[in-house]
Amino acid sequence: MTKGLSNAEIAAQMFIGPETVKSHVSAVLGKLGVRDRTQAMIVAYESGFVTP
């Protein structure tokens, strides 16, 4: 997600289905308590999990 890839692009790189990616992304959003990928990335940067 941090690279801005679509579900299909992530799925291709990980050799899994796009629906599996969608499920995992939804789980991450729920655990972080955010609405979308943009908010998830903000949390990731602010927490130091991801660096620019």
Side-chain angles (χ1 to χ4, degrees):
M1 282 180 12
T2 61
K3 295 180 181 179
L5 300 177
S6 69
N7 289 349
E9 292 168 326
I10 295 169
Q13 287 187 2
M14 298 186 70
F15 305 105
I16 58 176
E19 290 301 317
T20 303
V21 174
K22 185 176 179 179
S23 295
H24 287 297
V25 169
S26 293
V28 168
L29 297 179
K31 288 179 181 186
L32 292 176
V34 298
R35 285 190 311 259
D36 55 37
R37 290 175 182 232
T38 302
Q39 289 182 335
M41 292 304 96
I42 291 169
V43 170
Y45 281 109
E46 288 178 346
S47 69
F49 186 73
V50 175
T51 57

